[in-house]
Amino acid sequence: MTVYLVGAGPGDPGLLTVRAAELIARADVILHDRLIPAEALAGARADAEVVYVGKQGGGPQMPQEEIHRLLVEHARAGRDVVRLKGGDPFVFGRGGEEALVCLEAGIPFEVVPGITAGVAAPAYAGIPVTHRELASGVAFITGHEDPAKPETALDWPALAAFPGTLVFYMGVRALPRIAERLVAGGRPASEPVAVVERGTLPGQRTLLATLADVAERAAEAGIGAPAITLVGPVAALGEQLGWLERRPLHDVSIAVTRARPQASALAARLRELGATVVEAPAIRIAPLAPALPDLAAFDLLCVTSPNGAHALFERLGAAGLDARALAGATVAAIGPGTARALREHGIRADLVPGRAVAEGLVEALGDVAVRRALIVRAREGRDVLPGALRERGAEVEVLALYETVAEPLDAATAEAAAAADYVTFTSASTVRFFLEAAGALDGPRIASIGPATSAALREAGLEPDLEADPHTPDGLVAALVAAARA
Ligand code: SAH
């Protein structure tokens, strides 16, 4: 029974501390605010009680006394409670009050600092809050002060005279007043100001201005909460050092429809380039368990997808075999991803075609003599490869080790995908099952991984706006970047 006052960082899930993740994974109860990363709760126990104690849909905040009551009640019931707050719990987070409540109630507590928005949002906008030549101090200030309450009123002349950077939290609406009072107190009207909206999140926006024009320009740009306002010469460095908003896919939303295990690698790559990713898996890989043929009888083994490679080794394992069972055959992988998957199982493919399609594989075989070929693939596949091998006089056996089935799409995900800038398709089955689940698609641009997928799209009445070349996930990412640049 301990209360943990935990900071969840400013929004980017990567800025959650290791300690915070550890405690979230262990907690019996999590009481959380609104401004925490959506992904922060993913690691919670399935049976943890997760209670939202923030503002109720733009309405009033749950009263602080009620939060205190919940903290004490749960801890007294013997539970470990994580009180999860945006940023740092002790920076405008009321963590101090909650610690005092625990102390009074005799409840043990710990504090886990978080990365505060006042440092993180500027950092993601390329602004160091201190700088050897420009600012030797930094002040964190609430912009939310209530002018009606004299006891909370800020000492504006003192703030104006502060020799360093001023960082205002909760100050978007008060921008005109902040700028005006600082100038009245003696800060030059030309002093640089940065307003960072949704700092560290995919939609981050930075406005660089001066005290003279910041209020007007923020209103023009429609800057809203949450935002950090930073005043001082360091703000001008954002012009040169801003990096996040310059990433090639910043502000581009992209839906990924492939099966979840493969989707995450593609999604991670897109996110690193700045994209907002909607994971909308339309398919799932369901393993099949046919009996294995006598592998020694084949002189060519073709593997046509990473899933096929993994499924093959699962079947081998189930039969008490390992990579040695493939020792006699020439091994062909359809593309670099499949070759990589084979390598994970100790097999170096002899052949990897330059073009990652069935036709490319046939071409790459050149004049390799083939007597008996085994093709490992999905149940539903094109006949190009078996047909071409038979034409070369080979005896061909197809071993279907998995099938692609529909993954149900919930309405919210389908809607988010339909609102994205791009929807990516990485196989004919993603096209078919996504359209079955989501209905027609008009609005987003269509990105296809290659000709077979494009053909499926056209058959469904959709013209791809871009087609990857090479026909690989990396090729698809490169095509999206090129489209965003253009
Ligand atoms: N404890 C939090 C601050 C809570 S006060 C922390 O340490 O960061 C809430 C204010 O924090 C917001 O009004 C806004 O000014 C700032 N804020 C929180 N998240 C932000 C974000 N992602 N980008 C910009 N400002 C943010």
Side-chain angles (χ1 to χ4, degrees), residues 9-11 35 85-93 114-118 121 168-172 196-201 225-229:
L35 287 180
K85 297 160 176 291
D88 182 276
F90 276 8
V91 180
F92 304 123
I115 301 185
T116 188
F168 290 90
Y169 291 68
M170 300 168 280
V172 195
V196 187
E197 179 188 62
R198 292 179 57 77
T200 79
L201 291 162
I228 285 290
T229 301

